[in-house]
Amino acid sequence: MDELNQTPAESSTSSGQSSADYQPQHEVPHTSTAQNEAKAPEAQLVGGHGDVNPQMSEQLMGLRQREPERKATGIKAVISSFHYAWGEAGLMRGTLPLLQLNQKDGFDCPGCAWPDSDGKRSRFDFCENGAKAVAHESDRRRMTAEFFASHSVAELSQQSDYWLEQQGRLTEPMVLRAGATHYQPISWDDAFTLIASELNDLASPDEAIFYTSGKAPNEVAFAYQLFARQFGTNNLPDCSNMCHEASGTALNRVLGFGKGTVKLDDFAKSQLIFVVGHNPGTNHPRMLTELQAAKRNGAKIIAVNPLPETGLIAFMNPQEPLGLLGAATPIADLFLQVRINGDVPLFKGILKALIEAEDRQSGSAVAWDFVRDHTAGVETLLNDVRSASWDDIVRVSGIERSQIETAAEWARATDRIIVSWCLGVTQHHNGPGNIQEMLNLLLLRGAMAKPGAGASCVRGHSNVQGDRTMGVWERPKPEFLDALSEAFHFQPPREHGFDSQKSVKAMHDGRGKVFVSLGGNFLLALSDTAYTAEALSRTNLTVRIGTKLNRSDLVTGRQGLILPCLGRTEADMSAPTSSRPATQQFVSCENSMGVVQWSRGTFTPASLQLMGETAIVCRMAHAVLGSRTTVDWPAWADDYDLIRDGIAKVIPGFKDYNDRVRQLGGFYLPNPPRENIYQTDTGKANFSVNPIPEHHLEPGQFVMTTVRSHDQFNTTIYGLHDRYRGLHYERRIVMLNREDMAELGIPPRELVDVTSHWKGQTRTANNFLAVEYPIPRRCAAMYYPEANVLIPIESTEPLSNCPTFKHTIISLRPARGNQNSST
């Protein structure tokens, strides 16, 4: 593992600090009075996202910092899993759902989209974050009408997001009337009537926006997009717009297909795996099992990331007795600690080393048979790579040439290569370019359409890929709209709609007047929190379907509705009729590798007034569309088989959907690149030229990336510990290189104000704690969504329009009136 410890600290072009020499002070508390002043004008209503951590600090005495851990999961993860499960749901209700989680006859994890084994599955086939997600919706606490009567929206707005999540499950529909200070109960029928009235009073269907979270299963996603299009709009933004839109853009341009190409068992067959820009130990821990299997089969693994992540250092498999006892499998053979957005120069350097080897000995580094038969544009790529400067490659990536050449030699030795990536490469000004440069490597080595090789786009939420398959997209393809028209006998709108960022701008300037959110926490998921809050507050009506209260429920339009839904673990029963008793429904999801399988909860709902998301959407559509629809929405609400029959008529790969989804383990969707079929303009996989990005930093400026903590899933804060990074009880922090802090004269745990700089604009968030962390020089990391206030709404990648959460230029100054009280 010596190579894993070799960080850019050990070269003059690199960070000057390695994870090995990082020695923070232990257990030194700091009492923070942190409060973010980058608020919208409606600060009391918004609550200011900065209100997250004042409460945390007051309650728990602020930051405690330890050394980052060097081994992931093991007994600590098991203890943490049951701590959350039993603490929120109790012994029985906390344990039993975990035994059905990710089982072929159980329910799909409401957390990430990592796939399940096609073969036999362990009865404990879940991870720590999956257990937290289940505990989150199995919570015994209830938010009743009495709770809302005793807490005004203004009072709730001053609480932290963690506190809001800890108040328990929503139990009945609630409405915030115009001018009211408190939410009040409303019947389901009256809620649907209110939605219908507001939507049908719009001057144009395009004044309505229908947002989707990646948790929504296939059935509700298909019904939702059909409802929106029968209403008359393609305004169907989703969470993909903010995370993997750049991946879909790049994959479609290169492969003609917007999804990854590998299957789960390819990891065990691979000989070289690049893990780029993600943190599997926290965000998708079950991936570590596959990396462990690959290592045991002789594969080499290269980790590429600005921060060392514990899960890629070593893995204690909790499914194995020795793993529970602390025995760990080393994971990464080589850690390439790139500077933030150093991925294009790194992979261009790997390509350059390969081509230099090819120029020395023909056929030694380029898979010419594959390249000639299945690709286009190789000569343009070769010219670009040959002309690239090694000095620029090393300077911008932050990686020594010798390490790049080592990675290239390993790639030259095999064509069984997987490149796996996540948001660390997508949320940049050049996100598609980052991915395209990695795909260039796969194409040059012929690492496609064979076992153990291909592209692994690791999705976040449990059905985010399935939602897009179901047609939740603001830019639908003509072929999809044609199929929808033929199946349901109407003319769908053809003009492209608003994505997530454009939806915010439309609401802000008055073009979006009704906002419906199928799950999620739109306010905190978007960049430029203050601007987004202003946008939402300018609408006539905001509607959110969800299981728990979150910040988006506190920043509403003129009126606001909360529609509580069943969780993934809970039984979804159809209403009994004169001819049929109540029957249990099920839904289905698509994982990151294109497998569709059913998900059926069996546990008693948190409230008798809850509905399944699918039934809510169908009843909403019936109320809004009335006689203008060709769909029997009440029948769909009572029988999800009818929705799946509709899906089978429209979506390729879903023939006989109802029969195939009932087969345990589900079925694979078509994946043309797995068969060397590339549906591009050239009919082949396309090489691309991707320039090395330049980052022009003034003295005292840094490139900041946002990250998630270990006790977090997207915007949901489960707890206050970032265990692997050694950061506890405080989220308002800025991680900085030790030498940068010394150069700026910032002592550890100093309160600082953070200012972002973008095209002459500045935004300042006050009172963050500066902490030493093993990150490259001139780089910084802050938690999402706390740092979102710093990222301008206009700062997006031009092709995908994905916000640049991973690349914001910032500067620091001592906080005004800073009194450092660390001891």
Side-chain angles (χ1 to χ4, degrees):
M1 291 296 291
D2 290 340
E3 289 174 293
L4 181 64
N5 293 329
Q6 292 175 2
T7 72
E10 297 163 31
S11 94
S12 60
T13 62
S14 303
S15 70
Q17 179 177 332
S18 73
S19 55
D21 67 15
Y22 177 62
Q23 298 293 332
Q25 300 176 40
H26 292 241
E27 295 289 324
V28 178
H30 176 89
T31 302
S32 168
T33 58
Q35 204 167 20
N36 181 5
E37 296 183 5
K39 297 182 181 180
E42 305 87 359
Q44 293 303 309
L45 174 62
V46 176
H49 186 62
D51 291 344
V52 172
N53 268 57
Q55 287 77 24
M56 294 183 187
S57 297
E58 290 165 10
Q59 294 169 1
L60 298 169
M61 298 302 290
L63 174 69
R64 290 180 181 270
Q65 186 174 8
R66 303 176 182 177
E67 290 188 44
E69 296 193 2
R70 305 288 295 175
K71 299 186 291 185
T73 66
I75 191 64
K76 285 186 179 180
V78 175
I79 293 171
S80 176
S81 297
F82 286 104
H83 166 78
Y84 281 95
W86 295 343
E88 294 199 17
L91 180 61
M92 295 301 292
R93 184 67 174 84
T95 303
L96 294 178
L98 297 179
L99 301 179
Q100 296 185 23
L101 184 58
N102 298 318
Q103 299 303 308
K104 293 181 179 180
D105 58 350
F107 61 88
D108 192 53
C109 180
C112 80
W114 187 254
D116 311 301
S117 171
D118 292 335
K120 185 178 179 180
R121 300 177 188 175
S122 164
R123 180 52 66 180
F124 300 96
D125 194 12
F126 60 86
C127 69
E128 182 181 353
N129 249 16
K132 292 173 185 174
V134 170
H136 179 73
E137 70 173 45
S138 301
D139 198 333
R140 293 171 294 183
R141 295 164 293 192
R142 301 289 181 263
M143 301 187 77
T144 63
E146 290 74 21
F147 173 89
F148 287 99
S150 61
H151 294 81
S152 70
V153 171
E155 292 168 348
L156 292 171
S157 294
Q158 296 305 316
Q159 298 294 338
S160 73
D161 297 295
Y162 173 71
W163 186 92
L164 295 176
E165 298 282 353
Q166 291 300 305
Q167 301 315 299
R169 289 286 300 276
L170 297 163
T171 57
E172 60 184 305
M174 304 297 296
V175 62
L176 184 67
R177 301 285 185 184
T181 58
H182 291 68
Y183 272 99
Q184 299 174 332
I186 185 173
S187 70
W188 281 106
D189 286 343
D190 286 348
F192 294 134
T193 298
L194 175 58
I195 296 168
S197 174
E198 291 286 350
L199 285 173
N200 288 327
D201 281 348
L202 295 175
S204 164
D206 288 328
E207 293 180 338
I209 297 168
F210 298 88
Y211 172 74
T212 307
S213 161
K215 184 181 175 182
N218 284 351
E219 290 74 10
V220 64
F222 185 81
Y224 194 60
Q225 64 80 28
L226 180 57
F227 163 38
R229 291 186 167 112
Q230 289 208 331
F231 181 69
T233 186
N234 281 317
N235 289 343
L236 283 157
D238 69 344
C239 60
S240 284
N241 298 148
M242 296 172 277
C243 55
H244 270 294
E245 199 68 59
S247 295
T249 298
L251 287 163
N252 273 300
R253 296 177 81 189
V254 175
L255 305 180
F257 187 70
K259 303 178 184 179
T261 67
V262 300
K263 295 182 178 180
L264 189 63
D265 63 3
D266 283 319
F267 280 86
K269 301 172 183 176
S270 182
Q271 293 182 343
L272 178 61
I273 301 171
F274 288 84
V275 184
V276 189
H278 60 120
N279 176 14
T282 287
N283 296 325
H284 26 268
R286 290 191 299 153
M287 181 183 185
L288 298 180
T289 304
E290 307 309 320
L291 296 179
Q292 180 188 51
K295 287 285 294 182
R296 289 174 173 175
N297 289 340
K300 293 185 183 299
I301 295 175
I302 298 175
V304 180
N305 206 51
L307 279 71
E309 300 293 9
T310 302
L312 295 174
I313 298 174
F315 171 51
M316 299 175 288
N317 191 335
Q319 302 278 351
E320 300 175 351
L322 288 178
L324 288 173
L325 295 174
T329 301
I331 297 297
D333 299 277
L334 179 63
F335 175 32
L336 300 178
Q337 191 176 20
V338 291
R339 290 194 170 94
I340 293 172
N341 203 18
D343 306 285
V344 165
L346 170 63
F347 280 89
K348 196 177 293 289
I350 294 172
L351 291 167
K352 187 174 183 68
L354 286 171
I355 291 168
E356 288 176 349
E358 178 69 21
D359 289 341
R360 292 192 296 269
Q361 181 181 351
S362 179
S364 65
V366 177
W368 285 113
D369 288 345
F370 176 88
V371 168
R372 293 189 185 102
D373 292 344
H374 299 294
T375 73
V378 67
E379 289 301 327
T380 303
L381 174 77
L382 296 179
N383 291 337
D384 171 69
V385 171
R386 287 184 177 121
S387 65
S389 159
W390 271 113
D391 287 343
D392 289 342
I393 287 169
V394 171
R395 175 179 55 84
V396 181
S397 70
I399 304 299
E400 291 272 18
R401 178 173 175 174
S402 61
Q403 290 185 305
I404 296 173
E405 290 176 334
T406 295
E409 276 302 303
W410 292 356
R412 192 163 74 97
T414 181
D415 60 1
R416 285 159 55 186
I417 304 169
I418 290 174
V419 176
S420 179
W421 73 89
C422 201
L423 304 189
V425 297
T426 66
Q427 294 174 326
H428 291 277
H429 293 286
N430 63 328
N434 289 331
I435 297 153
Q436 288 166 183
E437 198 73 353
M438 297 188 296
L439 295 175
N440 281 338
L441 172 61
L442 294 177
L443 299 182
L444 198 71
R445 293 296 302 127
M448 294 290 293
K450 61 185 60 173
S456 171
C457 173
V458 180
R459 305 284 180 175
H461 225 322
S462 57
N463 199 44
V464 64
Q465 185 163 295
D467 290 346
R468 187 59 62 87
T469 301
M470 292 296 105
V472 175
W473 195 27
E474 76 282 354
R475 292 176 288 152
K477 293 183 178 180
E479 299 86 350
F480 171 79
L481 295 178
D482 291 342
L484 207 63
S485 175
E486 182 177 352
F488 295 102
H489 312 294
F490 79 109
Q491 289 302 315
R494 299 282 169 164
E495 184 177 352
H496 288 173
F498 301 138
D499 62 17
S500 293
Q501 184 257 13
K502 291 178 181 177
S503 292
V504 174
K505 296 181 69 178
M507 289 186 285
H508 201 273
D509 65 23
R511 290 175 293 131
K513 296 181 179 178
V514 174
F515 180 78
V516 183
S517 182
L518 177 54
N521 189 351
F522 188 77
L523 171 62
L524 297 193
L526 264 290
S527 56
D528 215 338
T529 312
Y531 182 95
T532 301
E534 291 175 352
L536 289 165
S537 69
R538 293 179 181 183
T539 61
N540 295 337
L541 175 68
T542 50
V543 181
R544 193 181 71 86
I545 301 168
T547 58
K548 284 190 170 184
L549 187 73
N550 67 39
R551 185 70 56 186
S552 294
D553 300 317
L554 307 179
V555 183
T556 71
R558 183 174 53 86
Q559 297 191 86
L561 275 172
I562 303 173
L563 304 181
C565 65
L566 296 169
R568 191 74 64 80
T569 63
E570 293 169 325
D572 186 352
M573 305 299 293
S574 67
T577 66
S578 58
S579 60
R580 187 189 66 187
T583 57
Q584 186 172 359
Q585 306 265 34
F586 70 89
V587 293
S588 52
C589 297
E590 176 187 344
N591 65 37
S592 278
M593 294 176 188
V595 178
V596 177
Q597 58 186 341
W598 83 348
S599 176
R600 182 173 64 182
T602 60
F603 293 91
T604 303
S607 166
L608 294 177
Q609 294 197 57
L610 300 184
M611 283 191 202
E613 299 160 294
T614 310
I616 292 173
V617 166
C618 290
R619 290 188 60 180
M620 187 189 306
H622 177 64
V624 172
L625 299 174
S627 61
R628 308 195 308 272
T629 184
T630 60
V631 176
D632 187 347
W633 292 103
W636 276 28
D638 288 338
D639 186 355
Y640 299 170
D641 277 357
L642 299 177
I643 303 175
R644 285 184 283 270
D645 286 340
I647 293 170
K649 295 177 182 178
V650 175
I651 311 294
F654 283 86
K655 184 180 180 180
D656 300 323
Y657 191 7
N658 272 308
D659 291 334
R660 295 165 69 203
V661 77
R662 284 175 164 84
Q663 299 171 9
L664 294 182
F667 60 93
Y668 279 91
L669 291 175
N671 191 303
R674 287 179 185 157
E675 311 300 324
N676 262 335
I677 298 171
Y678 304 101
Q679 298 170 342
T680 64
D681 291 342
T682 64
K684 296 184 176 184
N686 295 315
F687 284 103
S688 62
V689 170
N690 307 287
I692 294 174
E694 287 288 351
H695 312 303
H696 302 289
L697 299 179
E698 300 294 331
Q701 289 185 341
F702 300 81
V703 178
M704 183 270 289
T705 182
T706 61
V707 296
R708 273 75 163 170
S709 79
H710 192 67
D711 273 0
Q712 175 180 0
F713 184 75
N714 294 339
T715 59
T716 302
I717 310 300
Y718 297 129
L720 307 177
H721 302 281
D722 197 357
R723 188 173 77 240
Y724 292 154
R725 296 191 182 107
L727 300 168
H728 301 267
Y729 301 126
E730 183 61 80
R731 293 182 55 83
R732 293 180 63 78
I733 64 173
V734 189
M735 296 175 234
L736 297 167
N737 180 279
R738 177 186 297 165
E739 292 184 13
D740 286 329
M741 292 179 67
E743 189 174 283
L744 291 175
I746 298 175
R749 299 174 184 82
E750 181 89 342
L751 280 173
V752 296
D753 297 340
V754 185
T755 299
S756 65
H757 305 266
W758 187 81
K759 294 187 177 181
Q761 300 178 25
T762 61
R763 287 161 174 77
T764 298
N766 294 336
N767 295 324
F768 279 69
L769 286 168
V771 299
E772 295 178 353
Y773 203 78
I775 190 171
R777 295 291 306 271
R778 306 297 294 277
C779 295
M782 300 173 69
Y783 287 126
Y784 167 99
E786 283 79 357
N788 290 3
V789 295
L790 296 167
I791 304 167
I793 194 69
E794 297 282 2
S795 182
T796 60
E797 189 280 319
L799 295 175
S800 64
N801 207 35
C802 183
T804 59
F805 291 107
K806 303 297 185 186
H807 193 282
T808 302
I809 295 176
I810 65 169
S811 61
L812 310 171
R813 69 185 182 203
R816 291 173 295 183
N818 176 14
Q819 296 293 325
N820 193 334
S821 59
S822 60
T823 57

